[in-house]
Amino acid sequence: MRHFLLLLATTALAVEPVAFKVQLDKLSDGFDGKTCWVHPRAGALPGATPSVVLTMQKLRLTGSDIFYALNEMRTDDLGGNWSGPTEHATLGRRPEADGGEVGVCDFWPKWHAKTRTLLGTGHTVRYVNDNIPKERARETAYSIYDAEARSWKPWTALEMPGDARFHNAGAGCTQRVDLPDGDILLPIYFKTREQKQYRTAVMRCGFDGKKLTYRELGNELVVPIERGLYEPSLTKFGGRFYLTLRNDRAGYVATSDDGLHFTPPRVWCWDDGTELGNYNTQQHWVAHSDGLFLVYTRTGAGNDHVFRHRAPLFIAQVDPERLVVLRATERVLVPEHGARLGNFGVTEVNEHETWVTVAEWMQTWGPKFYDSTDMMKRGANNAVFAARIIWEKPNAGWDRR
């Protein structure tokens, strides 16, 4: 055992730490007691000074995942000043023939270099009487940003093969990779009408600046635990693709040489072999040309009072060969004030900065999940944050096209 631990320590030292500092900006705060801002995620429009376009939406506290139209905040001076939030009706709900409504949520904007387009992806959500029905279909949804008009085009549902396994299929909260030829590797999760567990796979799509088109799907990943594998996020580092996945009991990781066909998923662990402690919430990647990082929440941080231990928000470097998180590199990106921080986004702003954006989600444990009293006593006020990772050495992997 001693020899094994020594080997682990020696191997961990072989991963060169990547230096950075963190600047935590508060973009907004204020809580009305009935709704709260959630899912702030941003895309950067390249330029001498990049413009950052952030989308987020209101959530009704007295319900589960009751989302309204997406809003936009924007900065043209690297966070010195922010405009908004401004509601976009084009990213709102639409009536359906059965009397219900369908909207878009779990949205993530990202710059598509080949077409010089800001493309946002997410998925649909259906409501009847402003509540989600027990059985519903779901689709991947996308929208394109009109940079001149500073508005979003009406969201569109991606056309999928007529396959029963895609009855409930979407790209909610997923981090994508764009290929040099313009094709997009977009992780999705899906299930048939009857299945209890989600499958995850990476979908290769074409994109011409106007329409997203399905091309092919990689191998399916699943674990027979609770709701399976979902909310996957993809990145590329050192010529290899890395996929991180949510499960109700633990976070998982898998790798691929081509971005479509992945190894069997394994539970995220520290470099000493113990489990990371992330569960029932998403994790996302921060990639620098010299190192790979995971952003996550976990147990064991004096945070038993936080819903599903979803705060604080941590970042740590990953050993890309052993697929473990290096405990000695862990840092707090966003501190906790009683509210959860588990739904967040990552934006490569330029070669010097990568931003992690997140909001204080003002729901708590049941049965009174809408009662935010304890969170407010601890300082939560539905703040929207940008944790700005400022690299000591520029990120040579950043795409300037």
Side-chain angles (χ1 to χ4, degrees):
M1 176 61 73
R2 183 179 177 182
H3 174 73
F4 175 67
L5 292 176
L6 180 61
L7 178 62
L8 285 174
T10 303
T11 306
L13 290 174
V15 177
E16 188 71 25
V18 178
F20 62 91
K21 64 179 181 179
V22 177
Q23 176 181 315
L24 186 62
D25 290 356
K26 184 186 292 185
L27 312 189
S28 71
D29 65 1
F31 178 49
D32 64 15
K34 297 179 181 179
T35 64
C36 68
W37 293 111
V38 296
H39 295 158
R41 299 189 179 94
L45 305 173
T49 300
S51 295
V52 179
V53 177
L54 178 144
T55 59
M56 59 186 186
Q57 58 197 141
K58 284 279 192 170
L59 166 101
R60 195 188 83 208
L61 297 186
T62 55
S64 177
D65 290 344
I66 311 301
F67 302 115
Y68 300 103
L70 281 152
N71 283 240
E72 175 191 319
M73 295 186 71
R74 177 174 172 141
T75 179
D76 298 306
D77 58 4
L78 287 180
N81 296 279
W82 286 87
S83 61
T86 303
E87 182 175 316
H88 288 280
T90 52
L91 299 181
R93 297 186 190 180
R94 301 171 185 170
E96 294 200 290
D98 63 0
E101 295 178 303
V102 59
V104 63
C105 67
D106 296 353
F107 197 71
W108 193 318
K110 178 180 169 67
W111 179 251
H112 186 259
K114 184 71 172 180
T115 61
R116 300 193 60 78
T117 305
L118 186 62
L119 169 67
T121 54
H123 58 198
T124 59
V125 57
R126 287 180 162 79
Y127 300 103
V128 175
N129 298 322
D130 207 28
N131 286 291
I132 297 177
K134 185 176 181 180
E135 205 318 287
R136 76 275 189 188
R138 179 157 58 188
E139 303 88 17
T140 293
Y142 68 95
S143 176
I144 297 156
Y145 189 67
D146 185 331
E148 291 187 6
R150 298 195 175 195
S151 64
W152 288 90
K153 302 290 187 182
W155 64 263
T156 303
L158 175 66
E159 296 177 12
M160 295 288 287
D163 189 321
R165 62 181 169 160
F166 299 132
H167 169 71
N168 186 327
C173 304
T174 67
Q175 199 170 8
R176 74 177 202 249
V177 169
D178 297 344
L179 300 175
D181 66 0
D183 276 6
I184 292 171
L185 296 178
L186 182 63
I188 62 168
Y189 53 104
F190 49 93
K191 62 181 181 178
T192 67
R193 188 186 297 268
E194 296 78 21
Q195 287 173 332
K196 296 183 182 297
Q197 284 144 0
Y198 285 106
R199 277 75 176 146
T200 280
V202 174
M203 176 171 58
R204 184 168 183 144
C205 297
F207 181 62
D208 61 5
K210 296 180 180 180
K211 185 176 182 180
L212 190 66
T213 306
Y214 172 92
R215 294 200 192 283
E216 62 177 318
L217 192 74
N219 64 310
E220 297 183 13
L221 304 179
V222 69
V223 294
I225 300 170
E226 304 290 348
R227 289 178 289 177
L229 294 174
Y230 54 111
E231 291 185 345
S233 274
L234 181 69
T235 195
K236 186 180 183 183
F237 176 76
R240 195 178 184 195
F241 295 89
Y242 296 82
L243 191 66
T244 188
L245 310 108
R246 174 180 171 180
N247 173 260
D248 290 6
R249 297 185 192 173
Y252 281 76
V253 61
T255 64
S256 168
D257 291 328
D258 65 1
L260 288 172
H261 302 93
F262 283 82
T263 59
R266 51 191 277 190
V267 172
W268 270 117
C269 289
W270 295 109
D271 45 340
D272 65 3
T274 58
E275 289 194 17
L276 177 63
N278 172 275
Y279 73 100
N280 209 357
T281 196
Q282 57 202 240
Q283 325 95 45
H284 300 305
W285 301 103
V286 168
H288 184 278
S289 50
D290 294 334
L292 182 62
F293 296 81
L294 189 71
V295 182
Y296 56 94
T297 59
R298 64 170 177 84
T299 58
N303 55 351
D304 289 350
H305 58 282
V306 179
F307 180 83
R308 292 178 180 166
H309 299 87
R310 289 184 180 178
L313 200 59
F314 293 102
I315 185 170
Q317 201 161 337
V318 170
D319 184 325
E321 296 301 322
R322 295 171 53 225
L323 296 182
V324 294
V325 178
L326 304 178
R327 188 188 288 270
T329 68
E330 184 183 71
R331 296 173 62 175
V332 171
L333 271 181
V334 184
E336 66 95 354
H337 298 103
R340 54 173 127 162
L341 301 170
N343 293 63
F344 60 96
V346 178
T347 308
E348 293 181 352
V349 175
N350 57 26
E351 67 268 39
H352 302 291
E353 296 194 29
T354 300
W355 294 5
V356 176
T357 51
V358 68
E360 293 177 326
W361 189 306
M362 302 298 287
Q363 286 180 318
T364 187
W365 301 98
K368 293 185 178 181
F369 53 86
Y370 50 83
D371 185 354
S372 56
T373 304
D374 182 67
M375 287 180 283
M376 294 178 70
K377 287 180 179 178
R378 295 176 184 270
N381 192 29
N382 193 210
V384 178
F385 295 106
R388 298 169 60 171
I389 300 167
I390 303 171
W391 303 110
E392 183 174 293
K393 180 181 177 182
N395 182 5
W398 183 74
D399 196 336
R400 297 173 176 81
R401 288 176 295 171

PDB file of all heavy atoms in Angstrom, residues 345-364:
ATOM      1  N   GLY A 345     -21.829  27.761 -16.205  1.00  0.00           N
ATOM      2  CA  GLY A 345     -21.264  27.679 -17.545  1.00  0.00           C
ATOM      3  C   GLY A 345     -19.814  28.108 -17.567  1.00  0.00           C
ATOM      4  O   GLY A 345     -19.327  28.744 -16.626  1.00  0.00           O
ATOM      5  N   VAL A 346     -19.119  27.767 -18.653  1.00  0.00           N
ATOM      6  CA  VAL A 346     -17.713  28.114 -18.842  1.00  0.00           C
ATOM      7  C   VAL A 346     -17.575  28.813 -20.194  1.00  0.00           C
ATOM      8  O   VAL A 346     -18.106  28.335 -21.201  1.00  0.00           O
ATOM      9  CB  VAL A 346     -16.815  26.861 -18.800  1.00  0.00           C
ATOM     10  CG1 VAL A 346     -15.358  27.234 -19.049  1.00  0.00           C
ATOM     11  CG2 VAL A 346     -16.978  26.121 -17.480  1.00  0.00           C
ATOM     12  N   THR A 347     -16.850  29.927 -20.208  1.00  0.00           N
ATOM     13  CA  THR A 347     -16.675  30.712 -21.434  1.00  0.00           C
ATOM     14  C   THR A 347     -15.214  31.056 -21.639  1.00  0.00           C
ATOM     15  O   THR A 347     -14.593  31.658 -20.758  1.00  0.00           O
ATOM     16  CB  THR A 347     -17.477  32.031 -21.364  1.00  0.00           C
ATOM     17  OG1 THR A 347     -18.827  31.757 -21.023  1.00  0.00           O
ATOM     18  CG2 THR A 347     -17.420  32.770 -22.691  1.00  0.00           C
ATOM     19  N   GLU A 348     -14.657  30.695 -22.785  1.00  0.00           N
ATOM     20  CA  GLU A 348     -13.315  31.147 -23.167  1.00  0.00           C
ATOM     21  C   GLU A 348     -13.461  32.538 -23.774  1.00  0.00           C
ATOM     22  O   GLU A 348     -13.941  32.697 -24.892  1.00  0.00           O
ATOM     23  CB  GLU A 348     -12.686  30.176 -24.156  1.00  0.00           C
ATOM     24  CG  GLU A 348     -12.382  28.813 -23.554  1.00  0.00           C
ATOM     25  CD  GLU A 348     -11.741  27.870 -24.547  1.00  0.00           C
ATOM     26  OE1 GLU A 348     -11.681  28.226 -25.750  1.00  0.00           O
ATOM     27  OE2 GLU A 348     -11.313  26.785 -24.136  1.00  0.00           O
ATOM     28  N   VAL A 349     -13.059  33.549 -23.025  1.00  0.00           N
ATOM     29  CA  VAL A 349     -13.250  34.933 -23.451  1.00  0.00           C
ATOM     30  C   VAL A 349     -12.141  35.361 -24.405  1.00  0.00           C
ATOM     31  O   VAL A 349     -12.380  35.966 -25.448  1.00  0.00           O
ATOM     32  CB  VAL A 349     -13.316  35.859 -22.222  1.00  0.00           C
ATOM     33  CG1 VAL A 349     -13.399  37.327 -22.643  1.00  0.00           C
ATOM     34  CG2 VAL A 349     -14.535  35.487 -21.369  1.00  0.00           C
ATOM     35  N   ASN A 350     -10.904  35.082 -24.044  1.00  0.00           N
ATOM     36  CA  ASN A 350      -9.750  35.316 -24.912  1.00  0.00           C
ATOM     37  C   ASN A 350      -8.604  34.452 -24.403  1.00  0.00           C
ATOM     38  O   ASN A 350      -8.812  33.583 -23.540  1.00  0.00           O
ATOM     39  CB  ASN A 350      -9.376  36.806 -24.988  1.00  0.00           C
ATOM     40  CG  ASN A 350      -9.083  37.409 -23.623  1.00  0.00           C
ATOM     41  OD1 ASN A 350      -8.686  36.710 -22.682  1.00  0.00           O
ATOM     42  ND2 ASN A 350      -9.270  38.710 -23.500  1.00  0.00           N
ATOM     43  N   GLU A 351      -7.399  34.653 -24.919  1.00  0.00           N
ATOM     44  CA  GLU A 351      -6.287  33.798 -24.518  1.00  0.00           C
ATOM     45  C   GLU A 351      -5.829  34.058 -23.084  1.00  0.00           C
ATOM     46  O   GLU A 351      -5.058  33.273 -22.524  1.00  0.00           O
ATOM     47  CB  GLU A 351      -5.101  33.958 -25.479  1.00  0.00           C
ATOM     48  CG  GLU A 351      -4.439  35.312 -25.446  1.00  0.00           C
ATOM     49  CD  GLU A 351      -5.020  36.281 -26.461  1.00  0.00           C
ATOM     50  OE1 GLU A 351      -6.254  36.284 -26.657  1.00  0.00           O
ATOM     51  OE2 GLU A 351      -4.231  37.042 -27.055  1.00  0.00           O
ATOM     52  N   HIS A 352      -6.331  35.148 -22.498  1.00  0.00           N
ATOM     53  CA  HIS A 352      -5.909  35.509 -21.144  1.00  0.00           C
ATOM     54  C   HIS A 352      -6.934  35.137 -20.069  1.00  0.00           C
ATOM     55  O   HIS A 352      -6.565  35.013 -18.903  1.00  0.00           O
ATOM     56  CB  HIS A 352      -5.632  37.012 -21.067  1.00  0.00           C
ATOM     57  CG  HIS A 352      -4.594  37.491 -22.025  1.00  0.00           C
ATOM     58  ND1 HIS A 352      -3.258  37.158 -21.896  1.00  0.00           N
ATOM     59  CD2 HIS A 352      -4.699  38.250 -23.143  1.00  0.00           C
ATOM     60  CE1 HIS A 352      -2.572  37.705 -22.888  1.00  0.00           C
ATOM     61  NE2 HIS A 352      -3.417  38.370 -23.667  1.00  0.00           N
ATOM     62  N   GLU A 353      -8.207  35.004 -20.464  1.00  0.00           N
ATOM     63  CA  GLU A 353      -9.251  34.789 -19.462  1.00  0.00           C
ATOM     64  C   GLU A 353     -10.260  33.722 -19.882  1.00  0.00           C
ATOM     65  O   GLU A 353     -10.668  33.667 -21.044  1.00  0.00           O
ATOM     66  CB  GLU A 353     -10.015  36.090 -19.180  1.00  0.00           C
ATOM     67  CG  GLU A 353      -9.175  37.184 -18.570  1.00  0.00           C
ATOM     68  CD  GLU A 353     -10.020  38.324 -18.005  1.00  0.00           C
ATOM     69  OE1 GLU A 353     -11.168  38.072 -17.582  1.00  0.00           O
ATOM     70  OE2 GLU A 353      -9.526  39.470 -17.981  1.00  0.00           O
ATOM     71  N   THR A 354     -10.658  32.910 -18.904  1.00  0.00           N
ATOM     72  CA  THR A 354     -11.784  31.990 -19.022  1.00  0.00           C
ATOM     73  C   THR A 354     -12.726  32.298 -17.867  1.00  0.00           C
ATOM     74  O   THR A 354     -12.289  32.416 -16.723  1.00  0.00           O
ATOM     75  CB  THR A 354     -11.321  30.531 -18.941  1.00  0.00           C
ATOM     76  OG1 THR A 354     -10.393  30.263 -20.002  1.00  0.00           O
ATOM     77  CG2 THR A 354     -12.496  29.569 -19.055  1.00  0.00           C
ATOM     78  N   TRP A 355     -14.018  32.450 -18.160  1.00  0.00           N
ATOM     79  CA  TRP A 355     -14.980  32.832 -17.126  1.00  0.00           C
ATOM     80  C   TRP A 355     -15.891  31.652 -16.787  1.00  0.00           C
ATOM     81  O   TRP A 355     -16.333  30.905 -17.679  1.00  0.00           O
ATOM     82  CB  TRP A 355     -15.854  33.991 -17.593  1.00  0.00           C
ATOM     83  CG  TRP A 355     -15.118  35.275 -17.807  1.00  0.00           C
ATOM     84  CD1 TRP A 355     -13.775  35.491 -17.728  1.00  0.00           C
ATOM     85  CD2 TRP A 355     -15.700  36.534 -18.166  1.00  0.00           C
ATOM     86  NE1 TRP A 355     -13.470  36.804 -17.995  1.00  0.00           N
ATOM     87  CE2 TRP A 355     -14.632  37.480 -18.267  1.00  0.00           C
ATOM     88  CE3 TRP A 355     -16.991  36.976 -18.396  1.00  0.00           C
ATOM     89  CZ2 TRP A 355     -14.851  38.816 -18.604  1.00  0.00           C
ATOM     90  CZ3 TRP A 355     -17.217  38.302 -18.729  1.00  0.00           C
ATOM     91  CH2 TRP A 355     -16.152  39.219 -18.829  1.00  0.00           C
ATOM     92  N   VAL A 356     -16.190  31.511 -15.511  1.00  0.00           N
ATOM     93  CA  VAL A 356     -17.201  30.572 -15.034  1.00  0.00           C
ATOM     94  C   VAL A 356     -18.348  31.400 -14.480  1.00  0.00           C
ATOM     95  O   VAL A 356     -18.161  32.202 -13.558  1.00  0.00           O
ATOM     96  CB  VAL A 356     -16.643  29.629 -13.960  1.00  0.00           C
ATOM     97  CG1 VAL A 356     -17.748  28.721 -13.417  1.00  0.00           C
ATOM     98  CG2 VAL A 356     -15.497  28.788 -14.530  1.00  0.00           C
ATOM     99  N   THR A 357     -19.538  31.245 -15.062  1.00  0.00           N
ATOM    100  CA  THR A 357     -20.691  32.060 -14.669  1.00  0.00           C
ATOM    101  C   THR A 357     -21.717  31.197 -13.954  1.00  0.00           C
ATOM    102  O   THR A 357     -21.990  30.058 -14.366  1.00  0.00           O
ATOM    103  CB  THR A 357     -21.328  32.721 -15.903  1.00  0.00           C
ATOM    104  OG1 THR A 357     -21.586  31.725 -16.914  1.00  0.00           O
ATOM    105  CG2 THR A 357     -20.398  33.772 -16.479  1.00  0.00           C
ATOM    106  N   VAL A 358     -22.308  31.746 -12.886  1.00  0.00           N
ATOM    107  CA  VAL A 358     -23.208  30.964 -12.052  1.00  0.00           C
ATOM    108  C   VAL A 358     -24.121  31.910 -11.275  1.00  0.00           C
ATOM    109  O   VAL A 358     -23.766  33.068 -11.039  1.00  0.00           O
ATOM    110  CB  VAL A 358     -22.410  30.053 -11.086  1.00  0.00           C
ATOM    111  CG1 VAL A 358     -21.655  30.872 -10.044  1.00  0.00           C
ATOM    112  CG2 VAL A 358     -23.291  29.002 -10.432  1.00  0.00           C
ATOM    113  N   ALA A 359     -25.287  31.412 -10.877  1.00  0.00           N
ATOM    114  CA  ALA A 359     -26.236  32.185 -10.074  1.00  0.00           C
ATOM    115  C   ALA A 359     -26.593  31.426  -8.803  1.00  0.00           C
ATOM    116  O   ALA A 359     -26.573  30.187  -8.774  1.00  0.00           O
ATOM    117  CB  ALA A 359     -27.510  32.479 -10.872  1.00  0.00           C
ATOM    118  N   GLU A 360     -26.910  32.153  -7.761  1.00  0.00           N
ATOM    119  CA  GLU A 360     -27.412  31.554  -6.525  1.00  0.00           C
ATOM    120  C   GLU A 360     -28.853  31.112  -6.746  1.00  0.00           C
ATOM    121  O   GLU A 360     -29.752  31.944  -6.905  1.00  0.00           O
ATOM    122  CB  GLU A 360     -27.330  32.563  -5.374  1.00  0.00           C
ATOM    123  CG  GLU A 360     -25.907  32.907  -4.984  1.00  0.00           C
ATOM    124  CD  GLU A 360     -25.816  33.954  -3.901  1.00  0.00           C
ATOM    125  OE1 GLU A 360     -26.677  34.870  -3.871  1.00  0.00           O
ATOM    126  OE2 GLU A 360     -24.885  33.876  -3.074  1.00  0.00           O
ATOM    127  N   TRP A 361     -29.045  29.805  -6.789  1.00  0.00           N
ATOM    128  CA  TRP A 361     -30.367  29.210  -7.048  1.00  0.00           C
ATOM    129  C   TRP A 361     -31.102  29.155  -5.707  1.00  0.00           C
ATOM    130  O   TRP A 361     -30.685  28.473  -4.781  1.00  0.00           O
ATOM    131  CB  TRP A 361     -30.168  27.819  -7.632  1.00  0.00           C
ATOM    132  CG  TRP A 361     -31.369  27.125  -8.161  1.00  0.00           C
ATOM    133  CD1 TRP A 361     -32.542  26.885  -7.502  1.00  0.00           C
ATOM    134  CD2 TRP A 361     -31.520  26.539  -9.461  1.00  0.00           C
ATOM    135  NE1 TRP A 361     -33.417  26.197  -8.299  1.00  0.00           N
ATOM    136  CE2 TRP A 361     -32.812  25.963  -9.509  1.00  0.00           C
ATOM    137  CE3 TRP A 361     -30.686  26.421 -10.571  1.00  0.00           C
ATOM    138  CZ2 TRP A 361     -33.283  25.290 -10.635  1.00  0.00           C
ATOM    139  CZ3 TRP A 361     -31.163  25.754 -11.689  1.00  0.00           C
ATOM    140  CH2 TRP A 361     -32.438  25.198 -11.727  1.00  0.00           C
ATOM    141  N   MET A 362     -32.245  29.840  -5.625  1.00  0.00           N
ATOM    142  CA  MET A 362     -32.877  30.103  -4.330  1.00  0.00           C
ATOM    143  C   MET A 362     -33.953  29.081  -3.958  1.00  0.00           C
ATOM    144  O   MET A 362     -34.924  29.414  -3.274  1.00  0.00           O
ATOM    145  CB  MET A 362     -33.454  31.519  -4.324  1.00  0.00           C
ATOM    146  CG  MET A 362     -32.426  32.606  -4.603  1.00  0.00           C
ATOM    147  SD  MET A 362     -31.097  32.716  -3.383  1.00  0.00           S
ATOM    148  CE  MET A 362     -31.976  33.454  -2.004  1.00  0.00           C
ATOM    149  N   GLN A 363     -33.777  27.834  -4.350  1.00  0.00           N
ATOM    150  CA  GLN A 363     -34.605  26.741  -3.850  1.00  0.00           C
ATOM    151  C   GLN A 363     -33.766  25.867  -2.931  1.00  0.00           C
ATOM    152  O   GLN A 363     -32.545  25.792  -3.087  1.00  0.00           O
ATOM    153  CB  GLN A 363     -35.183  25.903  -4.988  1.00  0.00           C
ATOM    154  CG  GLN A 363     -36.316  26.581  -5.740  1.00  0.00           C
ATOM    155  CD  GLN A 363     -36.856  25.702  -6.873  1.00  0.00           C
ATOM    156  OE1 GLN A 363     -36.094  25.081  -7.599  1.00  0.00           O
ATOM    157  NE2 GLN A 363     -38.171  25.664  -7.015  1.00  0.00           N
ATOM    158  N   THR A 364     -34.438  25.178  -1.985  1.00  0.00           N
ATOM    159  CA  THR A 364     -33.719  24.392  -1.002  1.00  0.00           C
ATOM    160  C   THR A 364     -34.320  22.995  -0.887  1.00  0.00           C
ATOM    161  O   THR A 364     -35.071  22.552  -1.752  1.00  0.00           O
ATOM    162  CB  THR A 364     -33.722  25.126   0.359  1.00  0.00           C
ATOM    163  OG1 THR A 364     -32.877  24.432   1.267  1.00  0.00           O
ATOM    164  CG2 THR A 364     -35.126  25.244   0.943  1.00  0.00           C
TER     165      THR A 364
END
